[in-house]
Amino acid sequence: MGYDTGELKAAWETEAAAKREEDRRDYERELAGIDIGRAARFHTAEYVEQRRQGRSGASQDQKSAQRDYASRLQMLLATNAAYANLYNGTMDALGDAESATDRAIAKAQEALTEAQVQLEQTLGRAAKLPDGTRVFRDERGQVWTEHGTQVSETDAAGIEWRGDEPAYKQFLEESESVRDRLTRLEALQGFRVDTLGRFRDRMDDPDNPPTAKEMQQYRREMEEKMPEAVREELHRTTASIAPTMSADIAAPVRAL
């Protein structure tokens, strides 16, 4: 049987072209870190893995840990009704407390600003010593600086009074109001960061879900440390976290 050399040459060239195209695709996919379904032929296995990790933004160990964490948490939520109830309830209570605290902080900041503006206006109407220090007279006629130091009779005699200056008592009350409002604001911010922020970090920990004992403690601590302003915000929008807290803590939860 004879063979047509032209046909054989054409078939060989077609096969060779297909092989070259396959090699080109494999080379480019390995270079990009894309799995080709078999061992790398043009680059080392370590190089391909590094490229693959660079494309995904995470190492294989990191992705594996994330999958393990998600599956463990999902397993607990799916198989332990008491744990799921406590976890979801804690997350809801935490979210409510965070929102209420944010609203309380916004109001406290507004109140502080108002007090500061009022104090600045009072200072702006006060009489001054030659060096620019603001001064005030009390009900007995004694003169005090804005820093709480009594002015000598000699220095007081040289002050030019208009007659409509704010009294020392007004200055003291407004200064105290600023300090009180600042203290309340700082307490709210501390609760938001040191207490609620710590709980949020733990509940969102990617390494392992919180235990039932931890979450029970979080619920108690939220209730015990909650500033009154936050409690008032909760009462305005939702029921207090206290009734649901006692029910969740009482529920039996299997050990993790």
Coordinates of all heavy atoms in Angstrom, one line a residue, residues 8 45 67 94 98 111 117 124 130 142 154 156 178 189 194 202 212 214 228 247 253:
L8 N 1.0 13.0 4.3 CA 1.7 12.7 5.6 C 2.3 14.0 6.1 O 2.3 14.2 7.3 CB 2.7 11.6 5.3 CG 2.2 10.2 5.1 CD1 3.4 9.3 4.7 CD2 1.5 9.7 6.4
A45 N 7.8 23.6 40.4 CA 6.5 23.6 41.1 C 6.5 24.7 42.1 O 5.4 25.3 42.4 CB 6.4 22.2 41.8
R67 N -11.0 28.1 55.7 CA -12.0 27.1 55.4 C -12.3 26.3 56.7 O -13.5 26.0 57.0 CB -11.5 26.2 54.3 CG -11.6 26.8 52.9 CD -11.5 25.7 51.8 NE -10.2 25.0 52.0 CZ -9.1 25.3 51.3 NH1 -9.1 26.4 50.5 NH2 -8.0 24.6 51.5
L94 N -24.7 42.7 70.7 CA -23.5 43.5 70.5 C -23.8 44.6 69.4 O -23.4 45.8 69.6 CB -22.3 42.6 70.0 CG -21.0 43.3 69.7 CD1 -20.5 44.1 70.9 CD2 -20.0 42.3 69.2
E98 N -23.6 48.6 70.0 CA -22.7 49.4 69.2 C -23.5 50.6 68.6 O -23.0 51.7 68.6 CB -22.0 48.6 68.1 CG -21.0 47.6 68.6 CD -20.5 46.7 67.6 OE1 -21.3 46.4 66.6 OE2 -19.4 46.2 67.7
A111 N -23.3 67.9 72.5 CA -23.5 68.6 73.8 C -22.2 69.3 74.3 O -22.2 70.4 74.8 CB -24.0 67.7 74.9
V117 N -18.7 76.2 73.0 CA -19.0 77.5 72.4 C -19.5 78.5 73.4 O -19.1 79.7 73.3 CB -20.1 77.2 71.3 CG1 -20.6 78.5 70.8 CG2 -19.5 76.4 70.1
G124 N -14.9 85.5 75.8 CA -14.8 86.6 74.9 C -15.3 87.9 75.4 O -14.9 89.0 75.0
P130 N -3.5 93.3 81.6 CA -2.7 93.9 80.5 C -2.0 92.8 79.7 O -1.8 93.0 78.5 CB -1.6 94.7 81.3 CG -2.3 95.1 82.5 CD -3.2 94.0 82.9
Q142 N -14.3 90.3 94.6 CA -13.0 89.9 94.4 C -12.8 89.4 92.9 O -13.7 89.0 92.3 CB -12.6 88.7 95.3 CG -12.6 89.1 96.8 CD -12.4 87.9 97.7 OE1 -12.8 86.8 97.4 NE2 -11.7 88.1 98.8
T154 N -4.0 95.7 93.8 CA -3.3 96.6 92.9 C -3.6 96.4 91.5 O -3.9 97.3 90.7 CB -1.8 96.5 93.2 OG1 -1.5 96.8 94.6 CG2 -1.0 97.5 92.3
A156 N -6.1 94.6 90.3 CA -7.5 94.7 90.0 C -7.9 96.1 89.8 O -8.8 96.5 89.0 CB -8.3 94.1 91.2
V178 N -18.3 72.0 80.7 CA -17.4 71.5 79.7 C -16.7 70.3 80.2 O -16.6 69.3 79.5 CB -16.4 72.6 79.2 CG1 -15.4 72.0 78.3 CG2 -17.2 73.7 78.4
Q189 N -16.8 56.7 74.7 CA -15.7 56.3 73.7 C -15.0 55.1 74.3 O -14.6 54.2 73.5 CB -14.8 57.5 73.4 CG -15.5 58.6 72.6 CD -14.6 59.8 72.4 OE1 -13.8 60.1 73.3 NE2 -14.8 60.5 71.3
D194 N -13.0 49.9 74.3 CA -12.4 48.9 75.2 C -13.3 47.8 75.5 O -12.8 46.6 75.7 CB -12.0 49.6 76.5 CG -11.0 50.7 76.3 OD1 -10.2 50.6 75.3 OD2 -10.9 51.7 77.1
R202 N -13.2 39.6 69.3 CA -13.3 38.2 69.6 C -14.3 37.4 68.8 O -14.1 36.3 68.4 CB -13.5 38.1 71.1 CG -13.5 36.6 71.6 CD -12.1 36.0 71.5 NE -12.1 34.6 71.8 CZ -12.3 33.7 70.9 NH1 -12.5 34.0 69.6 NH2 -12.3 32.4 71.2
A212 N -19.0 29.2 74.5 CA -20.2 29.6 75.1 C -19.9 30.4 76.4 O -20.6 31.4 76.7 CB -21.1 28.4 75.5
E214 N -17.4 32.3 77.1 CA -16.9 33.7 76.7 C -18.1 34.6 76.4 O -18.2 35.7 76.8 CB -15.9 33.6 75.5 CG -14.6 33.1 75.9 CD -13.7 33.0 74.6 OE1 -14.0 32.3 73.7 OE2 -12.7 33.7 74.6
E228 N -25.2 54.9 81.2 CA -26.6 55.2 81.3 C -27.1 55.8 79.9 O -28.2 55.6 79.5 CB -26.9 56.2 82.4 CG -28.4 56.4 82.6 CD -29.2 55.1 82.9 OE1 -28.6 54.2 83.6 OE2 -30.4 55.0 82.5
A247 N -32.1 34.7 79.5 CA -32.6 33.5 78.9 C -31.5 32.7 78.1 O -31.4 31.5 78.2 CB -33.8 33.8 77.9
V253 N -25.6 24.6 77.1 CA -24.8 24.7 75.9 C -23.7 23.6 76.0 O -23.0 23.6 77.1 CB -24.1 26.1 75.7 CG1 -23.2 26.0 74.5 CG2 -25.2 27.1 75.6

